[in-house]
Amino acid sequence: MAATSSRRPAALLVLVAAAAAVVALAAAGDVELLEGRYPPLAPGLSFDFYKKSCPKAESIVREFLSSAVRQNVGLAAALIRLHFHDCFVQGCDASVLLDSTPTQPSEQLSPPNLTLRPAAFKAVNDIRARLEQACGRVVSCADIVALAARESVALVPLRRHCFVCFIYSSAHSK
């Protein structure tokens, strides 16, 4: 049993490193490299969905976030968390962004979502405004949240890597 538990941190480290490499390649725009290998795409999905309708979508998100995260590094974590909370219940549909109506309370009011940072919601709205100015109402809010989370991971790779290394080294120092 001790041998199995000592391999878990190493396996976690390999998994995180592989995920970071995929995110970095996707953020760098190496679509051709990814399409043939990882992750497998479901029919109808593509890495370059907005290539014709909004070709600068990813660069608009990346440019906005690189500036915003320099000013507030916590925004990266807030956007990743927002994406997680959006996807957790019934899929990644941007429903966490919706305000309450007279008959339906917003997901933002549910207890797990009460601590989502207002800065993340503001960043998504700011990105949406920039995308609409450049391309019209083409990019879905769900895709904006997903792109923002992906770019957030790509913008702070050293902090994430150091945290995983800390966990790994802590587990092996006992």
Side-chain angles (χ1 to χ4, degrees):
M1 175 128 168
T4 303
S5 63
S6 68
R7 284 187 284 213
R8 285 186 191 145
L12 176 64
L13 184 60
V14 169
L15 180 62
V16 169
V22 168
V23 167
L25 287 172
D30 291 337
V31 174
E32 296 80 23
L33 181 63
L34 289 174
E35 282 184 338
R37 297 185 182 163
Y38 181 87
L41 293 176
L45 297 180
S46 69
F47 283 107
D48 58 355
F49 182 79
Y50 293 108
K51 185 176 184 174
K52 292 180 182 168
S53 60
C54 191
K56 293 185 178 182
E58 293 182 35
S59 63
I60 290 169
V61 174
R62 187 176 305 120
E63 288 169 15
F64 174 83
L65 286 177
S66 39
S67 171
V69 169
R70 266 195 306 270
Q71 294 172 11
N72 175 8
V73 74
L75 178 60
L79 287 165
I80 294 166
R81 189 162 176 257
L82 181 68
H83 184 54
F84 171 79
H85 280 253
D86 180 44
C87 296
F88 186 71
V89 179
Q90 292 187 5
C92 308
D93 57 4
S95 56
V96 74
L97 302 177
L98 298 174
D99 292 327
S100 295
T101 67
T103 59
Q104 183 72 33
S106 170
E107 285 182 26
Q108 295 172 23
L109 300 176
S110 69
N113 296 337
L114 290 174
T115 57
L116 293 174
R117 294 185 186 177
F121 291 104
K122 181 181 181 329
V124 169
N125 284 331
D126 291 346
I127 292 167
R128 183 180 51 81
R130 283 169 172 74
L131 289 168
E132 285 183 6
Q133 182 180 15
C135 308
R137 299 183 83 175
V138 173
V139 182
S140 74
C141 289
D143 286 344
I144 293 170
V145 173
L147 287 168
R150 182 191 80 180
E151 292 304 324
S152 295
V153 170
L155 285 169
V156 287
L158 293 177
R159 284 179 172 75
R160 183 188 72 251
H161 175 71
C162 292
F163 178 72
V164 171
C165 290
F166 171 76
I167 292 172
Y168 179 76
S169 65
S170 295
H172 282 64
S173 65
K174 294 178 181 177

